[in-house]
Amino acid sequence: MPPRHEDTPTPARTHPALAGIRGSSLVWFASFGHERGGPVTHAIPARMALMAYPIRLADPQTKRYPDGTYHSPGEAPSLVITVNDPDQLERRQPIGSWNGMTVLRGGHMFALSNNGRPLYVDGPDGGKVLNPDLLDTARPRSDIQFMTVYVGMASHDASALTHRRIAPLGGIGRLVGTMYNSDWRAMMLDANAAG
């Protein structure tokens, strides 16, 4: 699905952390398939990203839309939600839990299981490895078996966030606020029931 400029009200605009956003334009896109490509096997992987592009009024490529909003092209932080894509989990390690979600190293990703199977199991060296039986082959391919949520950003922005040098009302601050102030389990269950 092509990116969509936020020129009409959507559920994303009603989230308190995104309400009245200034200095960024919100654009979202969705796609199907594994992050690193390859065939779809037991469950259909999908991704949705909400991008917060910084608006640069002096940039000649900045566009003004009829509703009064602006968009500047370039790099943007993103709130990324994926379902059924083990690629998102295998390069990360669990570091704890928060509000019933597993927290993973590498951008403080949240992961939620929806099939009762653990995301990670004990590995041969005593560490954790991705559960090779994470996906239940008996469930319909369209079922959401697990979901991940994280805010993707440039490494210098991640460092600034760690050192508390990110403005809460800037694009990254608002995406992080959305990540930490959303009921992801309820959204996952609602999306799975609707599918």
Side-chain angles (χ1 to χ4, degrees), residues 83-149:
V83 298
N84 300 336
D85 190 357
D87 292 350
Q88 290 292 323
L89 301 175
E90 70 181 5
R91 295 183 310 244
R92 292 182 167 90
Q93 285 290 306
I95 57 173
S97 64
W98 187 76
N99 281 357
M101 298 177 287
T102 301
V103 180
L104 305 176
R105 180 169 288 135
H108 295 282
M109 175 186 279
F110 295 151
L112 302 89
S113 176
N114 191 34
N115 64 8
R117 296 181 177 194
L119 299 168
Y120 294 89
V121 294
D122 292 331
D125 63 356
K128 296 290 186 180
V129 296
L130 180 63
N131 183 354
D133 298 316
L134 176 59
L135 296 174
D136 183 347
T137 59
R139 289 181 64 170
R141 292 179 75 208
S142 60
D143 273 5
I144 296 174
Q145 296 198 38
F146 71 92
M147 182 172 90
T148 63
V149 182

Side-chain angles (χ1 to χ4, degrees), residues 1-4 27-31 47-51 53 78 80:
M1 179 179 287
R4 180 180 184 279
V27 177
W28 65 270
F29 72 89
S31 63
R47 149 186 348 275
M48 196 284 291
L50 178 64
M51 316 287 284
Y53 287 89
S78 57
V80 182

Side-chain angles (χ1 to χ4, degrees), residues 17 19 21 30 38 54 70 81 98 101 117 123-124 126 143 146 155 166 186-187:
I21 192 166
Y70 291 85
I81 303 161
W98 187 76
M101 298 177 287
R117 296 181 177 194
D143 273 5
F146 71 92
S155 59
I166 291 290
M187 285 187 225

Side-chain angles (χ1 to χ4, degrees), residues 75-78 151-161 172:
E75 298 293 317
S78 57
V151 175
M153 65 191 85
S155 59
H156 66 276
D157 289 329
S159 175
L161 181 63
I172 294 171

